[in-house]
Amino acid sequence: MSRLPIRGVDVGSDTRCDHYDSELDVVAFRFACCDAYYPCFQCHNAVTDHETVPWPKRRFDEPSVRCGVCDATFTVPDYLDCAYECPNCDAPFNPGCAAHAELYFEVNFETDGE
């Protein structure tokens, strides 16, 4: 299976970008609108011409988060349960990403079965 590229502004080898480049900024998120990975929502907005569509709840069983250190991909539930550490290589992730979770994942969970 070929890997989807990581798009954005000045994306480095560990997925750091022009907007977020601390030692902990080593994760990329897949957006449903264009089926591509970006280090952050600002990168998505900078290089696309459409509105951001976060990863939908109905697709949470598909890989949609990618570690920039080991290139492993995992699901939203695995990412949310990983305590800001890669489940594969233990690289630390930025806990500040939680402040933007609704931009990356559909977080308004409905219980009515849609």
Side-chain angles (χ1 to χ4, degrees), residues 2-67:
S2 79
R3 293 279 194 190
L4 295 171
I6 298 175
R7 300 177 182 162
V9 179
D10 293 329
V11 179
S13 61
D14 288 345
T15 73
R16 291 179 189 92
C17 66
D18 192 48
H19 307 103
Y20 296 98
D21 66 352
S22 80
E23 288 297 312
L24 300 177
D25 292 313
V26 293
V27 66
F29 303 99
R30 191 171 169 190
F31 287 86
C33 47
C34 49
D35 199 31
Y37 284 95
Y38 297 86
C40 71
F41 67 94
Q42 292 181 57
C43 277
H44 177 278
N45 293 343
V47 301
T48 65
D49 62 357
H50 59 266
E51 287 196 33
T52 302
V53 176
W55 200 249
K57 178 184 166 192
R58 69 181 174 357
R59 295 181 68 188
F60 274 14
D61 62 336
E62 297 176 38
S64 58
V65 181
R66 189 159 150 190
C67 176

